[in-house]
Each structure stands twice: as C-alpha cells, then as structure tokens.
Short mmCIF file of all heavy atoms in Angstrom, two decimals:
data_model
loop_
_atom_site.label_atom_id
_atom_site.label_comp_id
_atom_site.label_asym_id
_atom_site.label_seq_id
_atom_site.Cartn_x
_atom_site.Cartn_y
_atom_site.Cartn_z
N SER A 1273 131.41 113.02 97.37
CA SER A 1273 130.17 113.26 98.13
C SER A 1273 128.96 112.90 97.30
O SER A 1273 128.02 112.28 97.79
CB SER A 1273 130.09 114.73 98.55
OG SER A 1273 131.12 115.04 99.45
N THR A 1274 128.98 113.27 96.03
CA THR A 1274 127.86 112.95 95.14
C THR A 1274 127.72 111.44 94.99
O THR A 1274 126.62 110.90 95.05
CB THR A 1274 128.06 113.60 93.77
OG1 THR A 1274 128.20 115.01 93.95
CG2 THR A 1274 126.89 113.32 92.85
N SER A 1275 128.85 110.75 94.83
CA SER A 1275 128.81 109.29 94.70
C SER A 1275 128.25 108.64 95.95
O SER A 1275 127.47 107.69 95.86
CB SER A 1275 130.22 108.75 94.42
OG SER A 1275 130.71 109.24 93.21
N ILE A 1276 128.63 109.15 97.09
CA ILE A 1276 128.15 108.58 98.34
C ILE A 1276 126.64 108.80 98.47
O ILE A 1276 125.91 107.90 98.84
CB ILE A 1276 128.90 109.19 99.55
CG1 ILE A 1276 130.34 108.68 99.56
CG2 ILE A 1276 128.22 108.84 100.86
CD1 ILE A 1276 131.23 109.35 100.58
N VAL A 1277 126.17 109.99 98.10
CA VAL A 1277 124.74 110.28 98.18
C VAL A 1277 123.96 109.35 97.26
O VAL A 1277 122.94 108.78 97.64
CB VAL A 1277 124.46 111.77 97.83
CG1 VAL A 1277 122.98 112.02 97.66
CG2 VAL A 1277 125.03 112.67 98.91
N VAL A 1278 124.45 109.15 96.04
CA VAL A 1278 123.78 108.26 95.10
C VAL A 1278 123.78 106.83 95.63
O VAL A 1278 122.76 106.13 95.58
CB VAL A 1278 124.44 108.33 93.71
CG1 VAL A 1278 123.94 107.23 92.79
CG2 VAL A 1278 124.21 109.70 93.09
N LEU A 1279 124.90 106.39 96.17
CA LEU A 1279 124.99 105.04 96.72
C LEU A 1279 124.01 104.84 97.87
O LEU A 1279 123.32 103.83 97.95
CB LEU A 1279 126.42 104.74 97.18
CG LEU A 1279 126.70 103.35 97.67
CD1 LEU A 1279 126.41 102.32 96.58
CD2 LEU A 1279 128.14 103.23 98.11
N ILE A 1280 123.92 105.80 98.75
CA ILE A 1280 123.01 105.71 99.88
C ILE A 1280 121.57 105.68 99.38
O ILE A 1280 120.74 104.91 99.88
CB ILE A 1280 123.22 106.88 100.87
CG1 ILE A 1280 124.61 106.79 101.49
CG2 ILE A 1280 122.14 106.90 101.94
CD1 ILE A 1280 124.94 105.48 102.11
N ALA A 1281 121.27 106.49 98.38
CA ALA A 1281 119.91 106.47 97.83
C ALA A 1281 119.59 105.09 97.28
O ALA A 1281 118.48 104.57 97.49
CB ALA A 1281 119.78 107.53 96.73
N LEU A 1282 120.54 104.48 96.61
CA LEU A 1282 120.32 103.13 96.08
C LEU A 1282 120.14 102.13 97.21
O LEU A 1282 119.31 101.23 97.12
CB LEU A 1282 121.48 102.72 95.17
CG LEU A 1282 121.56 103.47 93.85
CD1 LEU A 1282 122.85 103.10 93.12
CD2 LEU A 1282 120.35 103.20 92.99
N PHE A 1283 120.92 102.25 98.28
CA PHE A 1283 120.76 101.36 99.43
C PHE A 1283 119.37 101.50 100.02
O PHE A 1283 118.72 100.51 100.34
CB PHE A 1283 121.79 101.66 100.52
CG PHE A 1283 123.18 101.22 100.21
CD1 PHE A 1283 124.25 101.87 100.77
CD2 PHE A 1283 123.43 100.14 99.37
CE1 PHE A 1283 125.54 101.47 100.51
CE2 PHE A 1283 124.72 99.74 99.10
CZ PHE A 1283 125.78 100.39 99.67
N ILE A 1284 118.93 102.73 100.17
CA ILE A 1284 117.61 102.97 100.76
C ILE A 1284 116.52 102.37 99.88
O ILE A 1284 115.64 101.67 100.37
CB ILE A 1284 117.38 104.49 100.96
CG1 ILE A 1284 118.32 105.02 102.05
CG2 ILE A 1284 115.93 104.78 101.31
CD1 ILE A 1284 118.39 106.52 102.12
N LEU A 1285 116.60 102.63 98.60
CA LEU A 1285 115.59 102.10 97.70
C LEU A 1285 115.63 100.59 97.63
O LEU A 1285 114.60 99.93 97.58
CB LEU A 1285 115.75 102.70 96.30
CG LEU A 1285 115.43 104.18 96.22
CD1 LEU A 1285 115.76 104.71 94.83
CD2 LEU A 1285 114.00 104.46 96.56
N SER A 1286 116.84 100.00 97.65
CA SER A 1286 116.91 98.54 97.59
C SER A 1286 116.40 97.91 98.87
O SER A 1286 115.81 96.84 98.83
CB SER A 1286 118.34 98.08 97.29
OG SER A 1286 119.20 98.33 98.39
N ALA A 1287 116.59 98.57 99.98
CA ALA A 1287 116.10 98.01 101.23
C ALA A 1287 114.59 98.02 101.29
O ALA A 1287 113.98 97.22 101.98
CB ALA A 1287 116.66 98.80 102.42
N CYS A 1288 114.00 98.90 100.54
CA CYS A 1288 112.55 99.06 100.59
C CYS A 1288 111.82 98.51 99.38
O CYS A 1288 110.64 98.68 99.26
CB CYS A 1288 112.22 100.54 100.71
SG CYS A 1288 112.96 101.24 102.17
N SER A 1289 112.54 97.86 98.48
CA SER A 1289 111.88 97.44 97.25
C SER A 1289 111.64 95.96 97.16
O SER A 1289 111.51 95.41 96.09
CB SER A 1289 112.72 97.89 96.05
OG SER A 1289 113.96 97.20 96.06
N ALA A 1290 111.53 95.29 98.29
CA ALA A 1290 111.23 93.86 98.26
C ALA A 1290 109.82 93.68 97.71
O ALA A 1290 108.90 94.38 98.08
CB ALA A 1290 111.32 93.26 99.65
N THR A 1291 109.67 92.72 96.82
CA THR A 1291 108.36 92.45 96.25
C THR A 1291 107.95 91.04 96.57
O THR A 1291 108.78 90.15 96.70
CB THR A 1291 108.36 92.64 94.73
OG1 THR A 1291 109.36 91.79 94.17
CG2 THR A 1291 108.64 94.08 94.35
N ALA A 1292 106.68 90.85 96.70
CA ALA A 1292 106.16 89.52 96.98
C ALA A 1292 106.18 88.71 95.69
O ALA A 1292 106.00 89.26 94.61
CB ALA A 1292 104.74 89.62 97.51
N PRO A 1293 106.42 87.40 95.78
CA PRO A 1293 106.41 86.59 94.57
C PRO A 1293 105.01 86.58 93.96
O PRO A 1293 104.01 86.57 94.66
CB PRO A 1293 106.83 85.20 95.05
CG PRO A 1293 106.62 85.21 96.53
CD PRO A 1293 106.70 86.64 96.97
N ALA A 1294 104.99 86.60 92.65
CA ALA A 1294 103.71 86.60 91.95
C ALA A 1294 103.07 85.23 92.05
O ALA A 1294 103.73 84.22 91.96
CB ALA A 1294 103.93 86.99 90.50
N THR A 1295 101.76 85.23 92.26
CA THR A 1295 101.02 83.97 92.27
C THR A 1295 100.12 83.96 91.06
O THR A 1295 99.49 84.96 90.74
CB THR A 1295 100.18 83.82 93.56
OG1 THR A 1295 99.32 84.96 93.66
CG2 THR A 1295 101.05 83.73 94.79
N PRO A 1296 100.07 82.83 90.35
CA PRO A 1296 99.23 82.79 89.16
C PRO A 1296 97.77 82.91 89.55
O PRO A 1296 97.35 82.40 90.57
CB PRO A 1296 99.55 81.42 88.55
CG PRO A 1296 100.13 80.61 89.66
CD PRO A 1296 100.73 81.58 90.62
N PRO A 1297 96.98 83.60 88.71
CA PRO A 1297 95.56 83.73 89.03
C PRO A 1297 94.88 82.37 88.87
O PRO A 1297 95.25 81.57 88.05
CB PRO A 1297 95.06 84.73 88.00
CG PRO A 1297 96.06 84.70 86.89
CD PRO A 1297 97.37 84.30 87.51
N THR A 1298 93.88 82.16 89.70
CA THR A 1298 93.13 80.91 89.60
C THR A 1298 91.86 81.21 88.80
O THR A 1298 91.26 82.27 88.93
CB THR A 1298 92.76 80.38 90.99
OG1 THR A 1298 92.04 81.39 91.70
CG2 THR A 1298 94.00 80.00 91.77
N ALA A 1299 91.50 80.27 87.96
CA ALA A 1299 90.33 80.45 87.11
C ALA A 1299 89.07 80.26 87.94
O ALA A 1299 88.96 79.31 88.71
CB ALA A 1299 90.36 79.46 85.96
N ALA A 1300 88.15 81.19 87.79
CA ALA A 1300 86.88 81.09 88.50
C ALA A 1300 85.97 80.17 87.69
O ALA A 1300 86.03 80.16 86.46
CB ALA A 1300 86.25 82.47 88.65
N PRO A 1301 85.12 79.40 88.36
CA PRO A 1301 84.19 78.56 87.60
C PRO A 1301 83.24 79.43 86.79
O PRO A 1301 82.88 80.52 87.20
CB PRO A 1301 83.44 77.78 88.68
CG PRO A 1301 83.76 78.42 89.97
CD PRO A 1301 84.98 79.26 89.78
N ALA A 1302 82.87 78.95 85.62
CA ALA A 1302 81.98 79.70 84.74
C ALA A 1302 80.60 79.81 85.37
O ALA A 1302 80.08 78.85 85.93
CB ALA A 1302 81.88 79.02 83.38
N ALA A 1303 80.02 81.00 85.30
CA ALA A 1303 78.69 81.21 85.85
C ALA A 1303 77.66 80.76 84.81
O ALA A 1303 77.90 80.86 83.61
CB ALA A 1303 78.50 82.69 86.16
N PRO A 1304 76.51 80.28 85.27
CA PRO A 1304 75.45 79.93 84.31
C PRO A 1304 75.07 81.15 83.49
O PRO A 1304 75.09 82.27 83.99
CB PRO A 1304 74.29 79.46 85.19
CG PRO A 1304 74.89 79.18 86.53
CD PRO A 1304 76.14 79.99 86.63
N ALA A 1305 74.71 80.94 82.24
CA ALA A 1305 74.42 82.04 81.32
C ALA A 1305 73.27 82.92 81.81
O ALA A 1305 73.28 84.11 81.60
CB ALA A 1305 74.09 81.48 79.94
N ALA A 1306 72.28 82.37 82.48
CA ALA A 1306 71.10 83.14 82.89
C ALA A 1306 71.32 83.88 84.20
O ALA A 1306 70.51 84.68 84.60
CB ALA A 1306 69.90 82.21 83.03
N THR A 1307 72.42 83.62 84.89
CA THR A 1307 72.64 84.22 86.20
C THR A 1307 73.64 85.36 86.10
O THR A 1307 74.70 85.21 85.52
CB THR A 1307 73.20 83.16 87.18
OG1 THR A 1307 72.34 82.04 87.17
CG2 THR A 1307 73.35 83.72 88.57
N ALA A 1308 73.30 86.48 86.67
CA ALA A 1308 74.22 87.61 86.69
C ALA A 1308 75.28 87.37 87.77
O ALA A 1308 74.96 86.91 88.86
CB ALA A 1308 73.47 88.90 86.97
N VAL A 1309 76.50 87.69 87.46
CA VAL A 1309 77.59 87.51 88.41
C VAL A 1309 77.91 88.86 89.02
O VAL A 1309 78.26 89.79 88.31
CB VAL A 1309 78.84 86.93 87.72
CG1 VAL A 1309 79.99 86.78 88.70
CG2 VAL A 1309 78.51 85.61 87.05
N PRO A 1310 77.76 88.99 90.35
CA PRO A 1310 78.06 90.28 90.97
C PRO A 1310 79.56 90.56 90.88
O PRO A 1310 80.37 89.66 90.89
CB PRO A 1310 77.62 90.11 92.43
CG PRO A 1310 77.59 88.63 92.66
CD PRO A 1310 77.33 87.99 91.33
N ALA A 1311 79.89 91.84 90.79
CA ALA A 1311 81.29 92.23 90.75
C ALA A 1311 81.95 91.91 92.08
O ALA A 1311 81.33 92.04 93.14
CB ALA A 1311 81.40 93.73 90.45
N ALA A 1312 83.18 91.49 92.02
CA ALA A 1312 83.92 91.17 93.24
C ALA A 1312 84.23 92.46 94.00
O ALA A 1312 84.52 93.49 93.41
CB ALA A 1312 85.21 90.44 92.89
N ALA A 1313 84.14 92.35 95.32
CA ALA A 1313 84.46 93.51 96.15
C ALA A 1313 85.96 93.76 96.08
O ALA A 1313 86.74 92.82 96.02
CB ALA A 1313 84.04 93.23 97.59
N PRO A 1314 86.37 95.01 96.06
CA PRO A 1314 87.81 95.29 96.01
C PRO A 1314 88.49 94.73 97.25
O PRO A 1314 87.96 94.76 98.35
CB PRO A 1314 87.89 96.81 95.97
CG PRO A 1314 86.52 97.34 96.18
CD PRO A 1314 85.56 96.20 96.11
N THR A 1315 89.67 94.20 97.02
CA THR A 1315 90.45 93.63 98.12
C THR A 1315 91.33 94.72 98.70
O THR A 1315 92.03 95.41 97.95
CB THR A 1315 91.32 92.47 97.62
OG1 THR A 1315 90.47 91.54 96.95
CG2 THR A 1315 92.07 91.80 98.73
N ALA A 1316 91.31 94.86 100.00
CA ALA A 1316 92.16 95.86 100.64
C ALA A 1316 93.61 95.41 100.58
O ALA A 1316 93.93 94.24 100.77
CB ALA A 1316 91.74 96.04 102.10
N VAL A 1317 94.48 96.34 100.26
CA VAL A 1317 95.91 96.04 100.24
C VAL A 1317 96.42 96.14 101.66
O VAL A 1317 96.22 97.16 102.33
CB VAL A 1317 96.66 97.05 99.33
CG1 VAL A 1317 98.15 96.81 99.37
CG2 VAL A 1317 96.12 96.98 97.92
N PRO A 1318 97.07 95.08 102.16
CA PRO A 1318 97.56 95.15 103.53
C PRO A 1318 98.65 96.20 103.67
O PRO A 1318 99.44 96.42 102.76
CB PRO A 1318 98.12 93.74 103.78
CG PRO A 1318 98.37 93.17 102.43
CD PRO A 1318 97.41 93.84 101.50
N ALA A 1319 98.64 96.86 104.79
CA ALA A 1319 99.66 97.87 105.06
C ALA A 1319 101.02 97.21 105.21
O ALA A 1319 101.13 96.14 105.80
CB ALA A 1319 99.30 98.64 106.33
N ALA A 1320 102.02 97.83 104.65
CA ALA A 1320 103.38 97.30 104.75
C ALA A 1320 103.89 97.53 106.17
O ALA A 1320 103.50 98.47 106.86
CB ALA A 1320 104.29 98.00 103.74
#
C-alpha cells in the first residue's frame, strides 16, 4: 500500500511537472549614457 501511494504521488507530480523549454535572453541595445532607462514593467505569468 505504501509503495502504491508513493508511485501514485510520483505519477501525479510527473504529470504536472512539464516545463517550458528555456529561451536564451536577448541582449537589449545599450542606452545612451545621458538617458535614463526606465525599469521594465513586470511581466505577468500566464495562468497554467
């Protein structure tokens, strides 16, 4: 019974642990030295 419970827990976690492939960050162009660069607005994480 314990083995079955552990196995089911692993099945549940594996079914829910898909991850999106990582994408390399793209380099932003350098801002002119005299110009202040505003902070980027936080990106909302899409609901699963």
Side-chain angles (χ1 to χ4, degrees):
S1273 295
T1274 303
S1275 297
I1276 290 172
V1277 169
V1278 169
L1279 185 60
I1280 295 307
L1282 291 173
F1283 286 153
I1284 292 168
L1285 292 174
S1286 69
C1288 301
S1289 65
T1291 57
T1295 55
T1298 56
T1307 307
V1309 178
T1315 306
V1317 176

